[in-house]
Structure formats: structure tokens, C-alpha cells
Amino acid sequence: MHALGTHLLVELRDCNPRIIKDLEMVKNALVSAAKEAKATIVDISFHEFNPFGISGMVVIAESHLSIHTWPEYSYAAVDIFTCGDVIKPEVAASFLIKLFESRNP
């Protein structure tokens, strides 16, 4: 069967907790990762939990990037799904690994 897209599930361990608990930093990181991968952004939605943790989604014409953070564990789970041959999900994943300072992706 021919795959219609590429799906990456990225577990980022040992992240900088200060970064992954900051709503604006996480939101800007996912938007920037989508742009780095040459995706077309359609919609953006993020939610900050109390006392901490963030869930968010960047909907792209080619599918989506989503994230859930657990700053208390220095952990973030990222889901990147892209369709087509133009978008490079690996670029988005590498960008987030570096930006969140994950020492154990």
C-alpha cells in the first residue's frame, strides 16, 4: 500500500522545563517549526493547563503538528503528520528538538 503521508511521533525527554511551560514559547516554536518545514498554516489553537502543561495544534494545509507538554517531567510529546512530497516533517522535528533543548529525543 502506498502511504499518503508521513507521520512522526516524537518523544522529547530532558527538555528545558522553563521553555516547555511557557505558552508563548511553545506556540511560537510549533508555528516556527511548521514554517521551517515549508508548511501552509491554516489555524492555530493552544491551551495552558493549571498548574502547568500545554496542549496545542497547528493545522496546516498538509495536515498538522500537535504538542502536549509536561514541564514537571521535562517531557513533550509531538505529533507531526504531513501529506505530499514538499513538506519535510523531519525538519520540523529537528527544529523542535533543538529549540526545546531536548537532551534525549
Side-chain angles (χ1 to χ4, degrees):
M1 179 177 188
H2 175 71
L4 297 177
T6 301
H7 197 177
L8 301 180
L9 299 174
V10 186
E11 293 191 62
L12 302 177
R13 295 176 183 86
D14 298 323
C15 295
N16 183 327
R18 181 187 57 79
I19 295 171
I20 64 170
K21 77 187 232 181
D22 184 301
L23 177 63
E24 286 305 309
M25 290 181 89
V26 171
K27 181 177 174 182
N28 290 337
L30 246 66
V31 168
S32 295
K35 290 177 181 177
E36 287 286 321
K38 307 293 186 226
T40 305
I41 297 172
V42 175
D43 200 6
I44 301 166
S45 180
F46 281 76
H47 177 78
E48 186 172 17
F49 294 95
N50 186 10
F52 33 69
I54 296 166
S55 289
M57 169 86 65
V58 176
V59 178
I60 58 176
E62 303 82 9
S63 200
H64 71 268
L65 289 81
S66 67
I67 190 167
H68 305 284
T69 73
W70 288 265
E72 68 273 31
Y73 299 113
S74 301
Y75 176 83
V78 178
D79 178 351
I80 304 169
F81 185 75
T82 62
C83 300
D85 298 329
V86 176
I87 306 304
K88 302 296 181 204
E90 298 86 1
V91 170
S94 294
F95 181 85
L96 293 171
I97 290 166
K98 184 176 181 179
L99 198 64
F100 293 147
E101 301 176 5
S102 175
R103 295 183 311 250
N104 190 9

